[in-house]
Amino acid sequence: MHAVQQRENGNRETVVVLRDLTKIYRDFWRRTRIRAVQHLSIEVSRGEVFGLLGPNGSGKTTTLKMLVGLLHPTSGSISILGRSPRSAATRHLLGYLPEESLLYPFLSAREALDFYGQLFDLPAAERRRRVDQLLEMTGLVHVADRPIGQYSRGMVRRVGLAQALINDPDIIVLDEPTAGMDPLASRQVKDILRSLADHGRTVILSSHLLADVEDICDRIAVLYNGRLRAVGTVEELLVHEDRFIVSLPAADTDLLRMITGEIRRRMGSEPEVSHPRRNLEDFFLELIRTAKDTETADFSGASEPGLVAEYLSHGEEDKHTLPRASSRQGNGNDNIADPP
Amino acid sequence: MSTAIDCIRALCHHDTGTSIPMSISAADRSEVRAESVARATLHVAAVLRVTLLDLLRRPIVPTLMYSVAVLIAVMPFIPFLTLGQENRLVRDANLSLILMFGIALSVYAAGTGLYREIHRGGGELLLSKPISPLAFLAAKYAGVIVLLALFMLAATPAFIVSSRASRGLAQVDWRLEGPLLAGLVAAPLLAALIALCRRRNVSQYAALLLPAVTMAVLAVTTPYGHAHPPSGEFRSGYLLAAAAGVGLVLVNIAAIAMTLSTRLSIPVSASLTVLALVAGLSAGGIEIGGLSFLLNALVPDWMNFWILSSVPPASPHLASLFLWNLIQSFLFSSALFILGCLLFWNAEISKKST
């Protein structure tokens, strides 16, 4: 099936379709060991950040591995741009970051990225350019020639993210992308992912960090025990339609007393009055930014969202100039629009 | 057999998305096919290079390679200490050392390069890229074979020089063989110094074995100055054939270990590999006809490879025996590779603990 599945979903093309997906792990004697995923059906549109949320063992990683063709579904089907995930043509369009960054510890970041670039048939000069840009984007330039085995976990995750982007993929599949990162690096990675989605790339990620998912995902699916429990936009799932919050600038007690009295009189219930709170991440990032401004410390990570845009704008040119694999042809890939 | 061929064909074109439409011309078809072969070859080369680098940079690998060269280099002192005629003993001990260390290296490289890679390492990441399973497997086999070739390159000259030197220290041409020993000692020291200055791993001293190996090759190929030239079973060519016999055994052992490692964990595949070695060594000596036949059908008789060092140097059978071993080794390894492809076909790539 070569035709791209064109289903309108908020004026967006559906690029990933999971239909009644089931994965059963069996033991040596073919007896059922674990039902990891059961009858999962999900659709993801182009340019969307889609989050799989769930506790450990809920089937998130298994779903992502089936999505990139590493595991085979027991039943059901997966379609990525109308193709099987196991075809090499599909893999040209995918970027994948596993749960554990399974990189060769004795290679340097530069060597590793160059190696993964070779697997996408990128010419040497193009690989060098992309590797340099990705190293800069992920803030690893100063350690690019050190063996990955000497990196901290957060740095390894950043190399992992860079390798997932080496082919400028249309669909980026990330398993716990911010695991092991400090809040600053985590924020930077989330900014990169958001920026990628804004440039028409589809990001599918799993996490059990609720704040991360809420922060960047357009839509989320909640899995538990291998089954889909809820799916929708963050707004749809989290907003209490029957409640309102009214935020006021500093008000005197008389005014507050009058407002609450009126509410009590009209509705017959006691309104909650409290001071709004920042979340801990915002507070932490503000502290670090202040310290950075005053102490001019080395700043690691993607310092400017512009770097992502620069990398992707080259990528857009490449799609027309590079001898990309035949997979690029006829997959409906050329109609990626830059955001306004 | 047809199932095996179908499987290989499926692996080659395994969902590569490069199936050629029937509507295009024959010339275009062959061009597309050539391009796809070239791309697969580049993939194999890239994975092979990384496999080799990854293995060479693990401290255990150069340590094994270096240890065998050092042990062989000190072997000539055995007859000096025992005042006997243990030249043969030294030569056979050297071959045994090469075999033992080579088996350890093969099993380690197979387990690390394949099983760990698939279930604990970068295989998951690698096979999410557009590379065919066949190219992945071929690169892994080739990487381990190239590693063994490097191992033999380091061990063989040391073996030849050591075996010749065992005839008596007075006959050693220190002008030529001295640098080998000096090089073996100097290599790790130099590597440690470089590591200290550049803050890199000492494990990279494998590359520094190269000067020592070069000097050893020089020592072997240059005529003796004042000592008697070696003759008979101490001629370089004869010793080289004996070492090559052991090298062929190692290639087969590595192929067994690799094939088992496509599915089995490191301890299980290592145990079964050693079992295959023992079975092959003892097959000829088992009196029970049926069992002996069965064992010989499953694994080659390793004694045929080892016997190269026992055939008289002037024997006309030496060359034919070596050729037969070479063919047998190639066929056995190829069969194991096909079996590996069958085992790897449709394998799920994931951590064992899900």
Side-chain angles (χ1 to χ4, degrees):
Chain A
M1 190 173 72
H2 292 287
V4 177
Q5 194 154 355
Q6 293 276 358
R7 300 196 74 196
E8 289 303 311
N9 182 359
N11 291 328
R12 282 170 162 180
E13 173 199 356
T14 301
V15 288
V16 175
V17 180
L18 310 184
R19 280 265 177 276
D20 203 24
L21 200 64
T22 296
K23 176 67 189 175
I24 298 172
Y25 290 110
R26 298 183 192 280
D27 66 10
F28 182 80
W29 307 105
R30 309 293 299 160
R31 292 174 304 192
T32 298
R33 190 158 56 90
I34 304 166
R35 288 179 192 277
V37 177
Q38 299 180 63
H39 308 291
L40 179 66
S41 294
I42 292 173
E43 293 186 0
V44 183
S45 304
R46 188 182 290 283
E48 196 174 26
V49 180
F50 188 87
L52 287 174
L53 198 60
N56 292 336
S58 58
K60 305 185 298 289
T61 298
T62 300
T63 304
L64 293 188
K65 283 184 180 174
M66 286 193 281
L67 204 56
V68 293
L70 294 171
L71 294 176
H72 317 320
T74 308
S75 66
S77 67
I78 302 173
S79 157
I80 295 176
L81 291 160
R83 297 170 193 261
S84 155
R86 295 189 68 199
S87 93
T90 308
R91 288 176 182 184
H92 268 281
L93 309 171
L94 282 175
Y96 173 56
L97 172 67
E99 187 178 7
E100 290 167 36
S101 303
L102 306 164
L103 300 160
Y104 296 99
F106 295 92
L107 292 183
S108 68
R110 194 182 294 281
E111 287 173 330
L113 293 179
D114 185 72
F115 165 60
Y116 291 115
Q118 283 180 50
L119 299 180
F120 286 100
D121 309 318
L122 297 173
E126 180 56 25
R127 285 202 307 271
R128 269 195 300 278
R129 188 185 66 73
R130 287 192 187 197
V131 168
D132 287 342
Q133 281 189 335
L134 285 168
L135 287 171
E136 193 174 348
M137 203 161 102
T138 49
L140 293 167
V141 175
H142 59 295
V143 289
D145 296 311
R146 263 171 46 188
I148 291 170
Q150 296 177 7
Y151 287 10
S152 69
R153 196 171 169 212
M155 288 158 82
V156 175
R157 290 306 277 170
R158 281 191 253 164
V159 184
L161 180 65
Q163 67 75 30
L165 300 177
I166 191 74
N167 57 324
D168 182 13
D170 288 346
I171 298 164
I172 303 150
V173 180
L174 309 165
D175 200 351
E176 307 279 359
T178 54
M181 288 185 180
D182 62 59
L184 192 62
S186 169
R187 179 74 261 163
Q188 288 154 0
V189 166
K190 286 189 280 186
D191 287 345
I192 290 174
L193 297 182
R194 198 58 258 176
S195 183
L196 287 165
D198 291 343
H199 283 79
R201 275 40 168 195
T202 307
V203 179
I204 300 173
L205 61 91
S206 83
S207 181
H208 47 233
L209 300 173
L210 307 183
D212 282 2
V213 174
E214 186 183 348
D215 221 11
I216 56 166
C217 290
D218 297 310
R219 284 199 307 140
I220 55 177
V222 182
L223 299 180
Y224 179 70
N225 211 13
R227 287 184 186 275
L228 182 67
R229 305 291 167 164
V231 64
T233 64
V234 176
E235 288 293 307
E236 283 168 0
L237 296 178
L238 302 186
V239 168
H240 289 290
E241 294 283 353
D242 55 345
R243 292 184 76 85
F244 290 91
I245 294 173
V246 180
S247 180
L248 299 174
D252 58 42
T253 39
D254 286 346
L255 179 61
L256 275 180
R257 199 174 296 127
M258 193 191 81
I259 293 170
T260 51
E262 187 64 17
I263 292 171
R264 201 179 299 120
R265 190 176 66 79
R266 290 194 176 211
M267 301 185 72
S269 62
E270 191 66 30
E272 287 174 23
V273 179
S274 62
H275 290 286
R277 286 174 59 171
R278 283 180 290 177
N279 68 33
L280 188 58
E281 186 185 355
D282 288 344
F283 171 71
F284 178 83
L285 291 176
E286 195 180 312
L287 273 183
I288 296 297
R289 283 196 190 106
T290 312
K292 181 179 155 273
D293 289 344
T294 52
E295 293 174 22
T296 63
D298 252 4
F299 188 61
S300 65
S303 48
E304 295 171 46
L307 290 171
V308 181
E310 193 188 333
Y311 177 74
L312 293 176
S313 66
H314 277 287
E316 291 301 317
E317 286 165 24
D318 297 342
K319 282 178 185 175
H320 303 289
T321 57
L322 281 176
R324 298 288 286 261
S326 53
S327 55
R328 284 285 184 188
Q329 295 162 5
N331 56 19
N333 188 39
D334 297 332
N335 54 2
I336 298 173
D338 272 329
Chain B
M1 189 64 187
S2 66
T3 316
I5 292 167
D6 287 346
C7 172
I8 297 292
R9 193 174 291 143
L11 278 165
C12 287
H13 296 285
H14 181 67
D15 291 332
T16 54
T18 52
S19 57
I20 307 163
M22 294 303 290
S23 56
I24 67 172
S25 71
D28 287 345
R29 284 169 67 85
S30 65
E31 196 178 320
V32 171
R33 198 171 286 134
E35 192 186 317
S36 121
V37 169
R39 194 181 302 138
T41 310
L42 285 176
H43 287 174
V44 169
V47 179
L48 190 155
R49 180 178 161 272
V50 166
T51 303
L52 203 58
L53 275 178
D54 184 41
L55 286 171
L56 276 175
R57 289 179 185 180
R58 287 174 190 274
I60 184 74
V61 172
T63 304
L64 280 173
M65 292 172 71
Y66 186 74
S67 304
V68 76
V70 169
L71 282 172
I72 289 172
V74 298
M75 275 291 168
F77 293 98
I78 289 179
F80 176 70
L81 294 172
T82 55
L83 303 173
Q85 295 295 314
E86 287 86 358
N87 302 339
R88 252 327 260 280
L89 177 84
V90 170
R91 198 194 58 184
D92 286 351
N94 283 341
L95 287 175
S96 303
L97 276 174
I98 295 175
L99 186 68
M100 281 190 295
F101 276 77
I103 290 169
L105 189 66
S106 303
V107 171
Y108 176 78
T112 310
L114 203 56
Y115 185 83
R116 273 185 77 95
E117 176 102 0
I118 294 169
H119 296 295
R120 298 275 185 276
E124 187 178 321
L125 197 52
L126 199 58
L127 287 158
S128 71
K129 312 290 182 205
I131 178 170
S132 78
L134 179 66
F136 172 77
L137 208 56
K140 289 290 162 192
Y141 273 74
V144 173
I145 300 297
V146 172
L147 181 73
L148 277 180
L150 286 177
F151 169 77
M152 290 305 295
L153 195 69
T156 304
F159 158 68
I160 294 173
V161 174
S162 168
S163 302
R164 282 174 11 179
S166 67
R167 299 181 76 195
L169 286 179
Q171 293 193 20
V172 173
D173 189 347
W174 290 105
R175 184 172 55 99
L176 293 166
E177 287 162 13
L180 167 67
L181 294 172
L184 288 175
V185 176
L189 294 177
L190 191 59
L193 193 67
I194 292 171
L196 189 70
C197 297
R198 297 186 60 195
R199 300 181 179 194
R200 292 282 173 86
N201 277 350
V202 183
S203 64
Q204 289 165 359
Y205 68 70
L208 291 166
L209 272 175
L210 210 59
V213 172
T214 312
M215 281 186 277
V217 172
L218 276 175
V220 172
T221 51
T222 313
Y224 271 162
H226 61 278
H228 296 297
S231 58
E233 58 187 25
F234 291 93
R235 270 189 300 118
S236 299
Y238 185 75
L239 292 172
L240 198 62
V246 174
L248 290 177
V249 175
L250 289 180
V251 167
N252 288 335
I253 291 291
I256 294 172
M258 290 294 283
T259 301
L260 292 170
S261 296
T262 53
R263 288 281 180 175
L264 300 175
S265 63
I266 298 173
V268 178
S269 58
S271 307
L272 289 176
T273 304
V274 172
L275 199 66
L277 179 79
V278 173
L281 282 173
S282 53
I286 293 175
E287 297 298 325
I288 309 162
L291 184 61
S292 174
F293 178 78
L294 182 70
L295 286 176
N296 274 327
L298 288 173
V299 284
D301 186 346
W302 307 120
M303 292 308 287
N304 286 339
F305 294 80
W306 192 262
I307 220 160
L308 280 173
S309 64
S310 305
V311 176
S315 168
H317 300 302
L318 185 64
S320 56
L321 188 62
F322 182 74
L323 189 66
W324 165 238
N325 284 343
L326 195 66
I327 294 167
Q328 195 183 7
S329 182
F330 175 76
L331 291 175
F332 185 68
S333 302
S334 303
L336 281 168
F337 176 67
I338 292 170
L339 182 63
C341 289
L342 285 165
L343 289 171
F344 194 61
W345 182 62
N346 224 18
E348 293 194 320
I349 312 300
S350 181
K351 266 171 61 179
K352 271 298 176 192
S353 53
T354 41

